[in-house]
């Protein structure tokens, strides 16, 4: 910071910001930095000055003031006159080295880079700690929705048991469209592409990579435990069929791709008012406390707050022992919303600099063990086409019983020659459930499996 | 703080906390402080020690460890060994003097006292500033829902245009019950009392005092402008009739008591992506930027995110220029949820102490003028019983036109001898609307006014 001046005199101090990247988000960050300079100065207590913008092709950015553009990102992060680096270029390499260079020399970093944080957050946190610099990343999860700050600050005196997030707008748009129209996945994906909600190569979204990175970040912050992208079990929405969607509708549910972060086991200290598992989710008795993070489609009852989050919106539902059920809702992507989150972090980091302090550090003190996906308690919805004859239900039921899976509800409907059998199980370890469903599918009396989907919450 | 020790060594530093009040919230704060001592120490970087609990009748609090109880609150706030005061006793006096004493000697304060903040927040903020102490109050608005921190930190780089809040659980419970059952206000209030959702004297809730205090706090934080309880126009729900509720249902709306904080006029800098007024709300062209805060029942379309918030839950909807539409949802009251918010603030204040800094100060730099309620643009729903004869619509329409009020939709239905006329207006200054509706009601062709209610959002 040049000419720090007296505290409380905004004109005296200047905080210099270097921006890496000027794409959809970066260009909005730059616009807001320039347009709202006076407001930012008043809120920070120092002038926030755009010092440099590093992009690949400087000649393509007429919107950035002349003289600030450069294609030398390494020079920007190394410039000792720059106090804060805003990273909105994305990617793992060379971004990682650039941010490490900045942090190591004591510059603070504001980043929207979920992939890098989920891949190698701890290295960045360690560099920030060693230098006493801030590393803020609100924009990395669910765009403009304040989430990281509420989790790591507002709920810092609480015990979070579950975080469920609709954190990918593309997949939520596709699933909402399938629900509304009855269309196939392929058709809905095509429509999403046409409307600009899906990229030409939609893999990162539809296969759940994007949501898994966010799940890793959410679980890390919520449970004070390091969770990386590789620790997150991931399934996309490519296998969700129109039949699955119809089945969900029939039982009063919708299908959502959720990022699911859970703390399992380890009985909470007594007396909590609203704590424990969400209504309808069985608690599997367990002594060892552990955490898990996963991304897969689930059937969610229409009564669940997340069920009503449609289209490209994002929302995150948090269950905490004292706070109870909270939900945060808003636009999960887009240039301006993401830039809003970046600017909020920038103001916080700048305030910390002006005050001579820093914000909350990475907190991984709890260091809880990660539960393998196969041991995570889940519940299944299974719809079977079966022969309409005596003994079918008994054969199916005994297969579930042999697998150690308890059935919560069952409905049988005859349809001429054959019949359908619809079951919802109680919670059981995922591996046991999957194996049992495979065995059921192989029974002679079962013609085919019409739909299999995990469920959460209270299903009719 | 005694024995500050090395940074990063939680065992070395101790932060001493004095709690004022041990009622519904206070007893939960005390429980959590004791039960979660290890977690709090790890998250703060210092041990957080319960040093004293001041209550009116110490012998009635067997749950508080012996030796900590006192009936001398003045001694607790003056005790130089106490670093943070948690105020959950409520009331204006003597609470104000107690907190001022604490702040003036440099102790930080965490309070849930919305009434005191709305009444005299600036005096407290000034004392905190003069001493360099923190004054945090997340628990004062909407219980456990993180709201103050998102508004003043996450959205610090954005420009908030509107905050709409369901911030009173009692009135939301009553209105939800009236909608579900068709019951009268009196019956629903009685039921709320029976179930513990309304107090024996429900005035503070049903007359909107509680919501008005919260509106003052929300507007102050959102608009960087001082707004006190006296600046908030306030109407309760006592006049909401079963006929109003039925009328709302008929046009696809629900009635909610909202805290409405708006920034009017002052064109935003160009280029905002999702900014501006919410869909369906007319923007009244205006050059002078101003803010307003009010509490009254409104008809809200079922499609609005707040429309689905039922029962005793709270939710706050925020419209910001870059972030777009955000919503925060959760339990708005109760011992444990409110205690969660208090503990979150306590951790933040404690971290600031350990780091030797302080959090964001009151920001009132924008100092925008307050628009009187009569000049605030509103929209009305009006349902009239009229004579079923030629010229009625013309008489009504010309009265609206004379009043400068433009009609958005009108529906006329004959019913034997008389007819009903249902109108929704465009936005016009509140005073003009109110006066015009009075004139319409006095027309010869109008038998009676069946229902009048302000509306927000896109009405069918």
């Amino acid at each position: 910071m040049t000419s720090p001046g007296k505290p409380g005199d905004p004109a005296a101090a200047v905080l210099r910001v270097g921006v890496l990247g000027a794409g959809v988000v970066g260009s909005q960050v730059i616009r807001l930095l320039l347009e709202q300079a006076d407001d930012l100065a008043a809120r920070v207590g120092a002038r926030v000055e755009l010092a440099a913008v590093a992009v690949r092709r400087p000649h393509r950015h007429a919107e950035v003031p002349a003289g600030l553009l450069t294609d030398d990102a390494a020079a920007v992060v190394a410039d000792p006159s720059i106090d804060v680096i805003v990273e909105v270029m994305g990617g793992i390499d060379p971004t990682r080295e650039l941010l490490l260079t900045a942090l190591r020399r004591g510059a603070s970093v504001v980043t929207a880079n979920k992939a890098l944080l989920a891949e190698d957050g701890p290295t960045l946190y360690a560099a920030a700690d060693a230098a006493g610099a801030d590393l803020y990343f609100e924009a990395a999860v669910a765009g403009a929705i304040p989430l990281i700050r509420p989790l790591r600050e507002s709920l810092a005196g609480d015990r979070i048991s579950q975080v469920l997030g609709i954190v990918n707008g593309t997949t939520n748009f596709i699933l909402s469209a399938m629900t509304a129209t009855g269309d196939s996945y392929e058709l809905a994906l095509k429509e999403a592409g046409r409307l600009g909600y899906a990229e030409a190569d939609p893999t990162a979204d539809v296969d759940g990579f994007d949501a898994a990175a966010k799940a890793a970040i959410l679980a890390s912050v919520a449970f004070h435990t390091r969770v990386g992208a590789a620790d997150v079990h991931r399934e996309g929405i490519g296998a969700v069929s129109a039949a699955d969607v119809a089945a969900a509708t029939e039982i009063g549910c919708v299908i959502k791709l959720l990022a699911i972060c859970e703390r399992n086991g380890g009985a909470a200290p007594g007396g909590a008012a609203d704590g424990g598992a969400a209504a309808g989710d069985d608690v599997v008795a367990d002594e060892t406390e552990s955490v898990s993070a996963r991304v897969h489609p689930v059937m969610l009852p229409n009564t669940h707050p997340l069920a009503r989050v449609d289209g490209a919106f994002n929302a995150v539902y948090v269950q905490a022992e004292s706070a109870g059920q909270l939900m945060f809702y808003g636009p999960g992507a887009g240039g301006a919303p993401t830039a809003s989150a970046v600017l909020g972090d920038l103001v916080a980091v700048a305030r910390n600099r002006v005050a001579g302090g820093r914000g909350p550090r990475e907190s991984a003190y709890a260091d809880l063990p990660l539960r393998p996906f196969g041991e995570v308690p889940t519940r299944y919805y299974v719809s079977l086409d079966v022969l309409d004859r005596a003994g079918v239900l008994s054969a199916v039921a005994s297969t579930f019983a042999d697998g150690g899976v308890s059935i919560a509800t069952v409905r049988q409907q005859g349809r001429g020659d054959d019949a359908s059998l619809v079951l919802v199980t109680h919670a059981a370890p995922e591996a046991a459930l999957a194996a049992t469903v495979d065995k059921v599918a192989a029974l002679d009396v079962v013609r085919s499996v019409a739909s299999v989907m995990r469920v959460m919450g209270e299903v009719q």
Side-chain angles (χ1 to χ4, degrees), chain A:
Chain A
M1 197 159 39
T2 55
S3 17
K6 287 184 307 200
D9 179 0
V14 176
L15 201 106
R16 288 166 52 83
V17 178
V19 178
L20 309 184
V24 175
V25 177
S27 59
Q28 293 294 318
V29 168
I30 292 163
R31 180 180 67 78
L32 292 170
L33 269 175
L34 298 173
E35 280 181 8
Q36 308 201 350
D38 291 347
D39 277 325
L40 293 173
R43 294 173 191 181
V44 168
R47 211 147 60 74
V48 179
E49 184 181 287
L50 181 62
V53 179
V55 294
R56 211 172 298 170
R57 299 183 198 80
H59 60 280
R60 292 209 185 166
H61 294 272
E63 79 280 11
V64 179
L68 299 185
L69 278 167
T70 172
D71 61 0
D72 190 354
V76 173
V77 297
D79 182 345
S81 82
I82 292 180
D83 304 282
V84 184
I85 296 295
V86 170
E87 187 269 301
V88 284
M89 61 189 277
I92 306 289
D93 292 307
T95 319
R96 173 174 20 206
E97 272 313 311
L98 291 170
L99 297 190
L100 286 173
T101 302
L103 290 168
R104 282 178 188 139
R105 69 166 179 82
S108 291
V109 166
V110 174
T111 175
N113 196 327
K114 57 195 162 278
L116 176 55
L117 287 167
E119 169 85 15
D120 198 16
T123 303
L124 295 172
Y125 301 138
D129 273 1
D134 276 332
L135 173 62
Y136 276 50
F137 49 90
E138 182 68 78
V141 182
I145 310 174
L147 210 52
I148 303 302
R149 191 171 276 103
L151 286 177
R152 79 175 182 177
E153 300 185 39
S154 306
L155 291 168
D158 208 327
R159 186 185 153 90
I160 296 169
S161 54
Q162 191 185 50
V163 179
L164 303 179
I166 294 173
V167 291
N168 180 271
T170 303
T171 49
N172 201 49
F173 179 89
I174 293 171
L175 292 171
S176 297
M178 289 174 71
T179 302
T181 62
D183 279 349
S184 70
Y185 164 72
E186 289 72 20
L187 223 63
L189 170 60
K190 214 167 148 183
E191 180 69 1
R194 200 182 63 79
L195 294 171
Y197 290 112
E199 298 188 35
D201 175 1
T203 311
D205 294 316
V206 299
D207 286 353
F209 289 99
D210 174 80
K214 292 164 179 171
I217 296 171
L218 289 172
S220 300
V221 173
F223 303 136
H224 303 272
T225 293
R226 286 180 173 174
V227 180
D231 301 317
V232 181
H233 173 84
R234 179 186 50 76
E235 296 173 29
I237 63 166
V240 176
S241 67
D244 293 330
V245 172
T249 304
E250 202 166 289
I251 60 165
C253 287
V254 287
I255 297 179
K256 294 288 183 192
L257 182 72
L258 293 189
I260 303 168
C261 311
E262 285 180 328
R263 184 198 294 262
N264 293 111
D274 306 87
D281 282 326
D282 305 287
V283 176
V284 173
D286 198 321
E287 281 136 48
T288 317
E289 192 169 23
S290 64
V291 298
S292 61
R294 58 197 204 268
V295 170
H296 57 65
V298 298
M299 287 188 181
L300 205 61
N302 287 325
T303 51
H304 194 285
L306 288 177
R308 304 143 169 175
V309 177
D310 281 329
F313 272 89
N314 278 200
V316 175
Y317 169 93
V318 177
Q319 173 90 29
E321 202 173 286
S322 297
Q325 303 175 33
L326 303 171
M327 193 175 77
F328 306 81
Y329 167 93
T338 309
S340 170
V342 167
L343 268 277
D345 275 358
L346 181 58
V347 168
V349 166
R351 279 172 177 164
N352 293 342
R353 291 239 149 197
V354 170
R358 61 181 294 219
R361 304 158 50 170
E362 182 207 12
S363 168
Y365 77 91
D367 198 18
L368 295 168
L370 287 160
R371 179 173 297 216
F373 183 59
E375 297 171 22
V376 170
T378 61
R379 293 160 59 218
Y380 271 43
Y381 163 95
V382 186
S383 169
L384 305 168
D385 285 327
V386 297
L387 303 178
D388 194 6
R389 74 157 79 125
V392 170
L393 181 56
S394 148
V396 169
S398 69
T399 308
F400 274 102
D402 291 347
V405 176
S406 162
I407 294 171
T409 66
V410 59
R411 270 185 300 186
Q412 184 161 12
Q413 282 179 302
R415 285 191 314 219
D417 226 16
D418 53 12
S420 85
L421 199 60
V422 174
L423 304 109
V424 177
T425 74
H426 281 297
E430 165 67 28
L433 266 166
T436 303
V437 169
D438 282 349
K439 276 184 199 145
V440 168
L443 290 175
D444 285 345
V445 296
V446 174
R447 289 190 187 225
S448 66
V449 177
S451 179
V452 179
M453 185 80 51
R454 298 185 191 92
V455 299
M456 301 200 82
E458 195 134 18
V459 178
Q460 296 162 7

